[in-house]
Amino acid sequence: MSSEILPAFSETSNVERKQDLNEDQEENQKPGLGEGFEPISKRQMKKLMKQKQWEEQRELRKQKRKEKRKRKQLERQCQLESNSEGSDRKRIRRDVVYSPLRLIIDCSFDSLMVLKDIKKLHKQIQRCYAENRRALHPVQFYLTSHGGQLKKNMDENDKGWVNWKDIHIKPEHYSEFIQKEELIYLTSDSPNVLKELDESKAYVIGGLVDHNHHKGLTYKQASEHGIDHAQLPLGNFVKMNSRKVLAINHVFEIILEYLETRDWQEAFFTILPQRKGAVPTDKACESSSHEKKFARVEGGLNSDSSEEENRNELDSPHKEEKQDKETSTESTVNSILH
């Protein structure tokens, strides 16, 4: 019996001995930390570094995912709000009442302007277009004699003009498709002063940015062609420190404002820029009367001071002329009003 057990025990011991030898061989094949250590390749090192960074940045990635979810929620909320605002705008737009009044910018003065003035004219036209699109009572907007330098500048710097809506852009002169009896040319040189706007008429604004180099040109052309002309009643409601010549877009915006309010004074003071120093005529009269009373009192106390004031009054026209020269660099047009 013992003879049968001994061979089995020897076999198991041999198997265990072989396993121990195999394990020793595997351990010897592994890179050790001693003299037999083989250096890790650059590629393996990069992989180890990436794995380490990945583990270290796990929390950071979680935080970024949270922030991204919050940002998307905010974007969706903003989009919903903008959509609601857009629907409100559309609702307001449906309430717009279009005026039959035709407002024309006459661009037939292209050859009289340098490129710098052409660019100013282009910007003023852009402003007119934008204001008319936003107005509660938009006019029938015409751009006539469109071509030359102006068209070239618009093609180069504002290619979207071909997609403008609610505007009639024509290469023809306005006289070719509108009857003479329906036309009124707005020019500051006209002796006629408008009291109100006739919405059955077509009002023409001269598209000329000339810094007063061609003074009276629009009035002269209107007279020669037998076209009615007039100026807006600026002098009846407003006293200004600067010249009573306004930019094209200011004339355009004043007309839009008047169509909405039917009040010239409100229209003027809503649109006129502060640099013009505009004040109501009644306040201007009050201030001038106070100044005269003060001058008389001063004259009674000191005759020398009154003489000095008189000299200053005599010099005031020269000062106004100097102010005119300083403001002549503004982009203006000869088509406007007292």
Side-chain angles (χ1 to χ4, degrees), residues 231-262:
Q231 58 173 288
L232 296 184
L234 187 62
N236 296 344
F237 299 94
V238 181
K239 182 175 176 60
M240 295 167 52
N241 294 333
S242 60
R243 294 175 302 138
K244 296 177 182 178
V245 180
L246 303 182
I248 297 168
N249 58 291
H250 291 153
V251 182
F252 198 100
E253 292 173 47
I254 286 169
I255 291 174
L256 290 177
E257 189 68 23
Y258 176 79
L259 290 174
E260 182 176 344
T261 63
R262 298 293 171 176

Side-chain angles (χ1 to χ4, degrees), residues 22-38:
N22 291 334
E23 289 177 358
D24 292 338
Q25 288 176 357
E26 289 177 358
E27 288 179 358
N28 292 331
Q29 289 175 358
K30 291 180 180 179
L33 299 175
E35 295 178 355
F37 174 75
E38 295 180 2

Side-chain angles (χ1 to χ4, degrees), residues 29 53 63 95 157 203 241 290 297 303 324:
Q29 289 175 358
Q53 290 177 357
Q63 186 66 26
D95 296 336
N157 302 309
Y203 293 88
N241 294 333
H290 286 305
V297 172
S303 60
D324 291 349

